[in-house]
Amino acid sequence: MRILFMGTPDFAMISLKAIYESNEEIVGVVTTPDKAKGRGMVLTPSPVKKYATEMGLPVYQPQTLKDGAFLDTLKELDPELIVVVAYGKILPTEVIDFPRYGCINAHVSLLPKYRGAAPMQRAIMEGEKETGVTIMYMDEGLDTGDIITSVAFPITEADDFEAIHDRSAEIGSKLLSDTVTALFDGTAKRIKQDDALATYAKKVEKEDCKLDFTLSASKLDFQIRGVTPIPGAFAYLNGKMLKINRATPVKGVGKCGEVIEVSDKGEGYFTVACGEGALKVSVVIPEGKGKMSAGDFIRGRKIQIGDILTK
């Protein structure tokens, strides 16, 4: 099967690698243009471009697909299937409808729940006990296409966004590779989504990362894990931002946001009272500093009992 792959970040690169290693014919790889990064603002290729180049695959980086300019390239490549994983650009109808076997996408949720930009983060933030990866046919809607297959897996109490991202990438890449085989041999299913069950996972904004200690400790735990390591949940201590990278809900009573216990032994911790229960904080990122243990933060005399964290 002649496949055109579209994707950009590491998550997509893992899927491209799985398809390439299954010996499918990849006629081209489409990714976003190189971006200027770092202090020197050096133009840097996407992870997908890096891998495709190493494997000798032809790479295309159109600024947009909306102006019709890419159609000539699409006709020359003549793919039978387009596979899209975290590409980052909207596909026009003429691209979606071009290949014989359709245009398929890997979405990291159990559709129709958590359609949209941040399904992994929102599932954790809402306290879901499981999430998954869905492979679907693309259409003009936002993650509304017919489902081909899906796999569910649990969200544990220790999982943050990074853990779910990495697990989803591995599971999704295998599921996508198996789906390509099923499409080719005619065994792939097509299941319409129930729009009545749909929810929307909007992009994570700065406001979503502010910690409001009038909320319960369990709710704040979901919030922290959902945005760790990036963009990171934070509060303010003595006027400076303090990102909380790891915390555990525990029993505790005090004013909302008040530090009610500190320990500088070993890795250390400090405990913050919440609207219900408390958070035992073990890893932080102080403003202008790198990640550190709560013990190091306490030993630096940056926090003590009675201090108040605010949003």
Side-chain angles (χ1 to χ4, degrees):
M1 186 183 295
R2 294 171 56 81
I3 297 173
L4 177 64
F5 186 90
M6 295 182 167
T8 298
D10 282 311
F11 188 94
M13 183 274 291
I14 293 171
S15 288
L16 173 60
K17 182 173 183 287
I19 293 173
Y20 178 81
E21 290 180 350
S22 65
N23 295 318
E24 297 290 349
E25 183 184 0
I26 300 174
V27 296
V29 174
V30 180
T31 190
T32 52
D34 296 357
K35 289 186 177 181
K37 292 184 178 180
R39 292 182 180 180
M41 297 302 286
V42 178
L43 281 178
T44 305
S46 71
V48 162
K49 180 181 177 180
K50 287 179 182 177
Y51 179 79
T53 302
E54 288 173 4
M55 297 302 109
L57 298 171
V59 176
Y60 305 89
Q61 297 176 277
Q63 290 289 343
T64 180
L65 299 177
K66 294 180 180 180
D67 59 7
F70 185 69
L71 277 180
D72 288 339
T73 302
L74 190 61
K75 291 174 182 176
E76 289 177 11
L77 296 174
D78 194 26
E80 297 172 281
L81 175 71
I82 295 177
V83 175
V84 182
V85 183
Y87 172 45
K89 292 182 180 292
I90 295 174
L91 271 61
T93 304
E94 56 265 28
V95 174
I96 294 173
D97 293 342
F98 183 90
R100 172 186 171 189
Y101 288 96
C103 187
I104 66 172
N105 173 247
H107 184 76
V108 189
S109 81
L110 297 173
L111 290 171
K113 292 184 73 173
Y114 298 106
R115 295 171 176 171
M120 290 178 275
Q121 296 97 317
R122 294 295 176 184
I124 301 169
M125 293 168 78
E126 291 298 321
E128 296 283 0
K129 300 299 183 185
E130 71 172 8
T131 186
V133 180
T134 301
I135 310 299
M136 64 173 183
Y137 288 101
M138 294 185 71
D139 61 15
E140 293 180 8
L142 180 65
D143 303 320
T144 56
D146 292 348
I147 294 169
I148 304 171
T149 186
S150 63
V151 168
F153 59 87
I155 299 174
T156 73
E157 294 180 357
D159 285 332
D160 58 14
F161 168 47
E162 182 176 40
I164 295 300
H165 172 279
D166 293 351
R167 197 175 307 147
S168 299
E170 292 299 329
I171 291 172
S173 64
K174 183 180 186 309
L175 189 63
L176 193 57
S177 182
D178 291 345
T179 300
V180 170
T181 300
L183 286 167
F184 184 71
D185 63 25
T187 60
K189 297 179 180 179
R190 191 166 195 141
I191 305 164
K192 288 199 172 294
Q193 293 191 41
D194 185 348
D195 292 339
L197 300 177
T199 59
Y200 177 63
K202 67 177 181 178
K203 181 182 177 182
V204 172
E205 304 287 356
K206 185 176 181 180
E207 195 67 26
D208 297 304
C209 300
K210 292 180 180 179
L211 295 171
D212 179 356
F213 287 96
T214 65
L215 299 176
S216 70
S218 60
K219 177 65 177 175
L220 292 174
D221 173 48
F222 297 150
Q223 182 182 359
I224 291 166
R225 290 191 289 117
V227 296
T228 297
I230 53 172
F234 66 91
Y236 288 94
L237 175 65
N238 300 324
K240 292 188 176 182
M241 180 185 287
L242 178 68
K243 288 189 175 183
I244 295 180
N245 203 251
R246 190 182 307 148
T248 306
V250 295
K251 293 180 180 180
V253 178
K255 296 177 183 178
C256 294
E258 180 185 10
V259 178
I260 58 175
E261 185 181 14
V262 299
S263 173
D264 63 357
K265 294 180 180 179
E267 294 298 307
Y269 66 87
F270 61 87
T271 304
V272 184
C274 304
E276 181 181 334
L279 274 181
K280 184 178 179 181
V281 179
S282 55
V283 180
V284 297
I285 304 176
E287 184 174 321
K289 304 287 185 179
K291 185 166 67 172
M292 66 176 64
S293 70
D296 285 343
F297 191 58
I298 295 164
R299 286 187 286 271
R301 298 182 181 180
K302 301 299 184 182
I303 194 166
Q304 60 188 350
I305 291 175
D307 282 345
I308 302 292
L309 277 71
T310 66
K311 66 173 183 177

